[in-house]
Amino acid sequence: MNYNDFPRPVYDNGLGIHFGDVTLPMLDKYLPLLKALHLKWIVLCDGDPVRIGKVASVLSAEGIMPIARPDSKINGNRDFRAAAQQCNSPYVIVFNEFGDEREWRGGRRPDNWKEIARDKWIGGAHAVRSAGCHPGLQVMSPDELGDMLAWMKLHGDDVLWPDMFIALHQYSALGCPPDCTKHGDYDVLGFQGYADVCLKWMGYVPPIIVTEGGYTDGQGTSQDRARWMVQIFDSFRTGVLPTGQPLPDYLFAFCPWILFSVPIAMWYGFSWTQNENHTLMLEAVKNMPEFERGKSMPVPPPIEEDWRIISPWGTQHRAVQDLEILKALGFDDYGAEER
């Protein structure tokens, strides 16, 4: 698998977030904060791919990679080729959580929903790829992923594999730090179980992007959440997961839910900006050092031995040299104070 075939943002650090209301006014409001947080991957979800495309274009110009999810009912009639062209993003997620009834028209999934979801996703993925974009498969369990990959291989749709990516939702159980395993494959580091399934069926792991995750204000204390979020993000700097394992190359980004959500909305508990219970977490991420994934931090130049200043215009080493010159000229009544 050549991960270089998949575009990355400039100075990629793997840090991202799920945006919120996808409009240009909201982007104008929050773009300075996105930069202050050093975020390089932004998930944009909206039912109108034209709106996504307008915001995505600005983000791309700012060196931030947009990940598009044109919100679509699984049993709807979305033209994913047209949507991919309008989203202005190389990454387009095809549908969302197949098993959630809210993702189906009428709020009810049919009895054969698995078969419908599978066929609709494959059709949408081919359409996205025909537009020159990478289709994203969002699954909620390794078993669901295994079923999809097995079906694709059986019916020749594995031609999609070199271009697709996996989109995952990884939320820790209540009160759990990043290395918690209480939720298993649903935890922050649960992506490893999906990678195992990919290795079984595909022989390699395609890019994985965590497009939802993080912590609600009911998990631990404000200090806990600040520490946990920094631990997750810092893995992209150190190359080491909170468990001590190496950060895998296939994990492209972690985009927690959600940058902003007003108090009356159901997602307010996760809102980084409008929920004051996340202020410490927001500031902790903002205070992280800037870095580029895969490149070591800049090493400060070595300190010279003669760094000690004895005047605004000289160092001790230079002063000793000057004194030697003065002595040679007959001025031997000068001394130098050691510093």
Side-chain angles (χ1 to χ4, degrees), residues 163-196:
D163 296 305
M164 64 183 280
F165 69 99
I166 309 296
L168 297 180
H169 297 172
Q170 306 274 245
Y171 292 92
S172 280
L174 287 175
C176 276
D179 58 353
C180 177
T181 58
K182 188 175 181 179
H183 267 179
D185 297 311
Y186 198 55
D187 271 314
V188 170
L189 303 182
F191 59 82
Q192 295 166 107
Y194 296 87
D196 291 340

Side-chain angles (χ1 to χ4, degrees), residues 48-319:
D48 184 355
V50 173
R51 263 202 304 267
I52 292 177
K54 291 178 179 178
V55 173
S57 294
V58 177
L59 289 174
S60 296
E62 295 287 345
I64 300 172
M65 181 62 68
I67 305 165
R69 180 162 76 83
D71 195 20
S72 313
K73 299 301 182 185
I74 298 168
N75 50 349
N77 298 307
R78 169 74 74 188
D79 180 346
F80 271 98
R81 177 180 171 81
Q85 292 171 327
Q86 294 165 335
C87 283
N88 294 328
S89 168
Y91 296 96
V92 180
I93 302 172
V94 180
F95 301 121
N96 193 35
E97 301 172 351
F98 300 147
D100 191 331
E101 295 202 317
R102 293 172 298 179
E103 302 296 332
W104 298 79
R105 285 191 302 185
R108 182 184 178 279
R109 64 184 191 220
D111 294 338
N112 61 337
W113 65 271
K114 291 184 179 179
E115 291 78 9
I116 294 174
R118 180 184 61 211
D119 292 341
K120 294 281 282 186
W121 185 86
I122 291 173
H126 279 290
V128 166
R129 192 176 71 155
S130 72
C133 302
H134 295 284
L137 171 62
Q138 202 285 304
V139 286
M140 294 299 291
S141 72
D143 287 342
E144 185 179 337
L145 175 60
D147 290 344
M148 177 68 82
L149 296 178
W151 180 265
M152 294 172 74
K153 188 175 183 67
L154 181 64
H155 291 85
D157 292 303
D158 51 353
V159 295
L160 289 166
W161 288 359
D163 296 305
M164 64 183 280
F165 69 99
I166 309 296
L168 297 180
H169 297 172
Q170 306 274 245
Y171 292 92
S172 280
L174 287 175
C176 276
D179 58 353
C180 177
T181 58
K182 188 175 181 179
H183 267 179
D185 297 311
Y186 198 55
D187 271 314
V188 170
L189 303 182
F191 59 82
Q192 295 166 107
Y194 296 87
D196 291 340
V197 173
C198 290
L199 286 171
K200 174 183 176 181
W201 288 103
M202 306 171 77
Y204 59 87
V205 184
I208 292 178
I209 300 175
V210 178
T211 54
E212 285 188 26
Y215 301 96
T216 182
D217 59 5
Q219 293 184 260
T221 64
S222 296
Q223 291 81 1
D224 289 335
R225 294 189 297 275
R227 184 175 67 256
W228 295 340
M229 199 69 249
V230 167
Q231 283 181 315
I232 294 171
F233 277 173
D234 204 43
S235 296
F236 290 94
R237 182 184 66 85
T238 64
V240 180
L241 296 171
T243 54
Q245 301 164 282
L247 178 77
D249 292 338
Y250 62 74
L251 186 64
F252 273 31
F254 193 99
C255 306
W257 180 273
I258 186 172
L259 183 62
F260 57 90
S261 182
V262 296
I264 61 172
M266 64 183 298
W267 302 118
Y268 178 68
F270 288 90
S271 175
W272 277 39
T273 58
Q274 296 177 336
N275 187 335
E276 63 181 14
N277 292 324
H278 290 315
T279 300
L280 285 179
M281 183 174 71
L282 185 77
E283 292 301 316
V285 172
K286 190 184 297 183
N287 290 330
M288 290 181 66
E290 290 191 68
F291 64 93
E292 184 176 359
R293 178 179 178 165
K295 295 185 179 180
S296 36
M297 299 292 288
V299 178
I303 298 175
E304 299 292 340
E305 291 183 359
D306 64 347
W307 60 270
R308 292 165 292 182
I309 304 298
I310 64 168
S311 76
W313 57 86
T315 64
Q316 178 171 298
H317 179 69
R318 178 58 186 271

Side-chain angles (χ1 to χ4, degrees), residues 25-36:
M26 295 305 277
L27 180 61
D28 288 341
K29 177 179 179 179
Y30 286 107
L31 183 58
L33 178 60
L34 297 179
K35 293 180 178 181

